[in-house]
């Protein structure tokens, strides 16, 4: 029946995408995202960082939010940012929240196609686990240990507004941080914890989200994939999407090549098309 399908015909403006970053990654990571996929979703994208940065506040058209969370990779710093991302979504009038890290490429048209398959008035938690087993945590309410699956933050995940609203009494107004500290788990696990142990809802696995915790070189059919990542620097083992395009000196993350593979007609991709 058509009416039901039409309800899911969301548009770009129904979407809120939050990106977690930190001061030292504004130039080295965020800049690349701003030049590539964020172009496809400028008004939808909000950057959560830990400093005031005039240059990038301008470049993001004032879509940069200083969370005042501490810098660093600590659990509490990352949970603090996720807490602000969550509260900002609740305050915004959007039907879907998708979170990504600043080393993630988002295929915006594919993301819209995914979300159109679900009703944002129902409870949906869409993402991809990177562990091969569920994790365990003690339910604060019942003191029972429970096993649950969570979506890796580094692959990106999406929550419907309906589900997010149910999380408010557990996680809203900064409470997310105390839940993190109580269960002593990272921010993405804590999202899964609240959804499973407090709301009895489950993760819907969508395998086309991709973090650098999986072998990215195996990813095919780029137009059907929702997210991509990379790890190619310093001490990490090189893990990149295998895509032709710009050479690896000019495009070490492969994000420009992915971008121009998906959108070859863009002005920035002219040189790519002619190679
Ligand atoms: N991050 C942060 N503060 C830091 C380090 C990292 O907010 O001091 C953010 C970073 O911007 C990214 C996420 O945390 O969005 C994950 O960081 P990274 O990719 O460096 O590490 P991973 O956890 O993926 O190994
Ligand atoms: Mn990462």
């Amino acid at each position: 029946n058509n009416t039901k399908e039409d309800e899911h015909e969301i548009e770009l403006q129904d979407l809120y995408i939050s990106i977690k970053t930190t001061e030292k990654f504004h130039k080295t990571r965020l800049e690349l995202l701003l030049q590539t996929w964020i172009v496809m979703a400028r008004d939808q994208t909000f950057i959560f960082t830990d400093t005031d940065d005039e240059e990038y506040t301008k470049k993001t058209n004032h879509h940069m939010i200083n969370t005042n969370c501490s810098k660093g990779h600590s659990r509490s710093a990352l949970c603090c940012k996720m807490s602000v991302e969550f509260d900002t979504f609740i305050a915004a009038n959007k039907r879907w929240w998708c979170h990504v890290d600043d080393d993630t490429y988002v295929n915006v048209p594919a993301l819209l196609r995914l979300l159109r398959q679900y009703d944002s008035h129902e409870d949906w938690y869409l993402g991809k686990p990177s562990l091969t087993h569920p994790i365990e945590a003690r339910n604060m309410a019942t003191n029972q240990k429970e096993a649950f699956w969570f979506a890796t933050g580094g692959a990106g995940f999406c929550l419907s507004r309906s589900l997010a609203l149910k999380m408010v009494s557990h996680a809203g107004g900064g409470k997310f941080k105390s839940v993190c500290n109580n269960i002593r788990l990272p921010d993405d696990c804590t999202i899964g914890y609240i959804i499973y142990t407090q709301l009895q809802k489950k993760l819907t696995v969508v395998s086309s989200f991709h973090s650098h915790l999986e072998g990215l070189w195996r990813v095919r059919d780029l137009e059907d994939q929702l997210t991509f990542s990379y790890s190619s620097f310093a001490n990490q083992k090189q893990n990149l999407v295998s895509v032709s395009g710009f050479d690896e000196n000019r495009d070490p993350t492969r994000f420009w090549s992915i971008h121009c593979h998906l959108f070859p007609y863009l002005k920035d991709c002219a040189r790519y098309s002619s190679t």
Side-chain angles (χ1 to χ4, degrees):
N1 144 337
N2 265 338
T3 352
K4 182 118 181 106
E5 269 166 34
D6 290 346
E7 281 169 20
H8 308 178
E9 275 302 302
I10 53 151
E11 299 301 332
L12 203 50
Q13 70 241 28
D14 299 311
L15 190 56
Y16 157 95
I17 305 173
S18 64
I19 304 176
K20 176 170 65 189
T21 190
T22 184
E23 182 171 23
K24 69 169 188 245
F25 291 148
H26 289 184
K27 279 215 159 58
T28 53
R29 294 187 180 188
L30 182 61
E31 178 68 40
L32 174 64
L33 307 191
L34 285 168
Q35 290 183 26
T36 57
W37 72 262
I38 294 180
V39 168
M40 312 314 261
R42 278 225 183 273
D43 297 338
Q44 273 49 59
T45 308
F46 295 83
I47 322 288
F48 293 81
T49 190
D50 42 31
T51 188
D52 288 322
D53 183 333
E54 217 181 298
E55 179 190 349
Y56 281 92
T57 300
K58 260 192 214 140
K59 283 186 173 177
T60 59
N61 194 20
H62 295 268
H63 280 211
M64 177 167 260
I65 291 144
N66 179 359
T67 59
N68 290 311
C69 299
S70 50
K71 298 183 175 67
H73 206 272
S74 69
R75 189 189 65 236
S76 64
L78 299 186
C79 284
C80 175
K81 280 176 192 161
M82 188 66 86
S83 183
V84 182
E85 290 174 54
F86 176 77
D87 285 336
T88 307
F89 172 64
I90 295 301
N93 192 21
K94 303 290 175 191
R95 290 168 71 173
W96 288 96
W97 169 31
C98 299
H99 157 92
V100 293
D101 283 354
D102 59 6
D103 53 358
T104 305
Y105 183 98
V106 179
N107 182 351
V108 175
L111 188 60
L112 267 181
R113 285 200 300 275
L114 170 85
L115 298 178
R116 282 181 181 143
Q117 297 173 44
Y118 302 92
D119 188 342
S120 66
H121 302 98
E122 295 171 359
D123 301 330
W124 291 108
Y125 171 34
L126 309 172
K128 187 186 197 176
S130 52
L131 304 177
T132 53
H133 54 87
I135 58 163
E136 273 195 351
R138 199 168 286 283
N139 186 333
M140 295 188 303
T142 62
N143 209 33
Q144 298 295 307
K145 266 198 175 168
E146 293 188 47
F148 59 93
W149 292 94
F150 71 96
T152 298
F157 59 78
C158 299
L159 267 62
S160 63
R161 179 150 208 96
S162 168
L163 179 57
L165 287 174
K166 289 179 180 149
M167 294 167 68
V168 167
S169 62
H170 304 276
K175 272 193 224 164
F176 185 83
K177 285 176 284 186
S178 6
V179 180
C180 266
N181 286 333
N182 270 311
I183 62 172
R184 297 181 181 284
L185 289 175
D187 52 351
D188 50 0
C189 305
T190 303
I191 295 275
Y193 165 87
I194 293 169
I195 292 171
Y196 185 79
T197 69
Q198 310 302 300
L199 302 174
Q200 288 80 46
K201 309 280 176 183
K202 282 184 184 160
L203 170 69
T204 298
V205 176
V206 179
S207 56
S208 40
F209 287 100
H210 302 285
S211 77
H212 56 68
L213 297 173
E214 63 176 282
L216 290 166
W217 62 89
R218 289 184 306 210
V219 173
R220 296 279 178 275
D221 302 324
L222 303 194
E223 35 291 300
D224 298 331
Q225 310 307 320
L226 299 164
T227 58
F228 308 96
S229 186
Y230 61 86
S231 59
S232 59
F233 304 120
N235 39 27
Q236 283 166 312
K237 191 173 144 247
Q238 178 157 302
N239 184 10
L240 299 171
V241 172
S242 166
V243 55
S244 63
F246 302 108
D247 73 50
E248 280 194 22
N249 297 321
R250 276 192 56 207
D251 184 23
T253 67
R254 309 316 288 149
F255 280 10
W256 270 111
S257 300
I258 293 169
H259 191 57
C260 290
H261 179 89
L262 296 175
F263 310 105
Y265 50 83
L266 292 175
K267 200 170 75 214
D268 289 332
C269 298
R271 270 162 305 173
Y272 165 89
S273 322
S274 64
T275 57

